[in-house]
Amino acid sequence: MTITITAFERSPDRGQGLARDTRVRWALEETGQPYEVRLVSFRAMQEPAHMALHPFGQIPTYEEGDLALFETGAIVLHIAGRHAGLLPKDANARARAITWMFAALNTVEPPILELANAKLLEGDKPWNRERQPLVEDRVRNRMGQLSRRLGDADWLDGAFSAGDLMMVSVLLRLRSSGILDEYPKLAGYVARGEARPAYQRAFEAQLAVYKEGS
Ligand SMILES: N[C@@H](CCC(=O)N[C@@H](CS)C(=O)NCC(=O)O)C(=O)O
């Protein structure tokens, strides 16, 4: 059955791979699943056809036969559950890998998004200068904890898993702030993720969309 995902017609990150379709593309590449992409404009994302797929009018979505999903956590978990390559066979190791997916999305991504929003949406507010260090502290606190847990390991729990795919995807959004480079172990971890051939293919595919639209 054909897998179709949605992605931005014109990604605001100009093809840096930060839009969340990249993590879904990456999961599909890791598991060797061909897929098609339907590009959507910001206007189309708010129209009934897309809202029926994604109640919050966002990308990415995932369609396969009569299954339609939204939320990258659910989509990557679905892909990883159906196809080999992203979750260990051992039940406990599998549960731990899924735990890392949730940790990436529920514990690590929120302060990183808060930091991005503080810059993008609140940079001109008079209170921003005072708040910014607090927002950065919350990110550094998580980075310190994550870096200590990773230690000198290549991946968070044994072999590369969907947990690492999600964590690396989330951490990538921190690079432009300079904070990621303050944690060499995490910077190395992200670089290892980016060096994976499946990530490279996902990155190139989303970049091609941006280039074609420019
Ligand atoms: N929690 C959602 C977040 C989805 C999300 O924020 N998508 C962004 C693109 S990366 C989007 O569609 N932004 C446009 C908007 O929210 O209107 C997920 O992980 O899928």
Side-chain angles (χ1 to χ4, degrees):
M1 235 170 308
T2 308
I3 294 172
T4 305
I5 66 167
T6 50
F8 283 134
E9 189 178 69
R10 269 190 81 71
S11 183
D13 77 346
R14 307 168 69 89
Q16 288 180 72
L18 303 180
R20 289 176 179 81
D21 56 293
T22 304
R23 52 182 82 162
V24 173
R25 292 173 188 266
W26 187 6
L28 289 166
E29 292 288 352
E30 289 284 353
T31 54
Q33 299 307 303
Y35 64 97
E36 292 180 359
V37 183
R38 191 169 62 248
L39 301 177
V40 286
S41 65
F42 277 98
R43 201 180 63 187
M45 283 161 65
Q46 301 305 318
E47 286 172 356
H50 188 76
M51 295 293 285
L53 284 173
H54 197 309
F56 307 113
Q58 297 180 314
I59 60 101
T61 56
Y62 175 102
E63 292 157 82
E64 186 182 11
D66 52 14
L67 174 68
L69 297 174
F70 61 97
E71 283 297 330
T72 53
I75 296 171
V76 171
L77 187 55
H78 171 76
I79 296 167
R82 285 262 170 113
H83 310 285
L86 281 173
L87 286 174
K89 284 206 177 73
D90 173 75
N92 285 356
R94 199 175 178 93
R96 288 196 303 272
I98 294 169
T99 300
W100 279 115
M101 286 184 66
F102 277 85
L105 294 170
N106 283 354
T107 304
V108 178
E109 192 169 47
I112 293 177
L113 285 183
E114 202 188 355
L115 181 68
N117 286 340
K119 192 176 163 199
L120 232 74
L121 310 175
E122 300 159 358
D124 58 345
K125 304 282 188 252
W127 38 261
N128 182 269
R129 268 172 75 96
E130 226 174 315
R131 184 169 176 264
Q132 185 74 13
L134 305 176
V135 176
E136 288 183 8
D137 278 355
R138 284 197 279 274
V139 173
R140 288 197 176 91
N141 180 39
R142 286 286 177 255
M143 293 307 106
Q145 291 168 324
L146 185 64
S147 178
R148 283 190 289 280
R149 170 51 84 102
L150 178 68
D152 293 320
D154 279 354
W155 307 114
L156 287 165
D157 192 313
F160 175 83
S161 77
D164 296 297
L165 183 152
M166 203 53 91
M167 192 64 84
V168 168
S169 299
V170 161
L171 293 177
L172 272 165
R173 290 184 153 232
L174 198 54
R175 185 179 273 147
S176 64
S177 71
I179 295 180
L180 183 62
D181 289 333
E182 294 173 22
Y183 299 86
K185 288 184 197 304
L186 294 183
Y189 172 64
V190 169
R192 274 191 293 285
E194 289 177 297
R196 292 180 71 84
Y199 177 83
Q200 301 277 320
R201 290 194 294 274
F203 182 87
E204 288 306 325
Q206 64 77 39
L207 181 60
V209 171
Y210 181 76
K211 282 184 178 161
E212 279 158 22
S214 320

